[in-house]
Amino acid sequence: GTVPARLWFGLAVSTLSFAALHDRWIAAALAGLVFAALARRRGALGDAILAHMAANALIALAALLLRRPELL
């Protein structure tokens, strides 16, 4: 079926809000879309939170292993 306009609006607002809170706003917007899709899939915000935690952990690990603190 068709996707309601309110769903598209909510997706846009949450994605833009997430991006606005990060320095790398394009990457953050893409991540925000993925996190929103995860939350929507089962209706569980926890899925998006766990994905965000995993992404942050991977970025921190990469920064440590590559000795590139600017990734943080």
Side-chain angles (χ1 to χ4, degrees):
T2 62
V3 178
R6 63 186 166 83
L7 179 62
W8 286 114
F9 179 74
L11 180 64
V13 168
S14 67
T15 297
L16 292 173
S17 298
F18 189 80
L21 295 173
H22 293 80
D23 292 336
R24 296 175 192 93
W25 59 271
I26 293 174
L30 293 174
L33 284 172
V34 171
F35 299 152
L38 288 171
R40 173 90 173 117
R41 183 183 59 170
R42 291 191 317 147
L45 184 59
D47 292 351
I49 293 169
L50 287 174
H52 191 189
M53 288 171 52
N56 284 347
L58 288 172
I59 292 166
L61 182 62
L64 287 171
L65 292 176
L66 299 172
R67 294 189 175 133
R68 293 193 50 202
E70 71 273 11
L71 293 176
L72 301 173

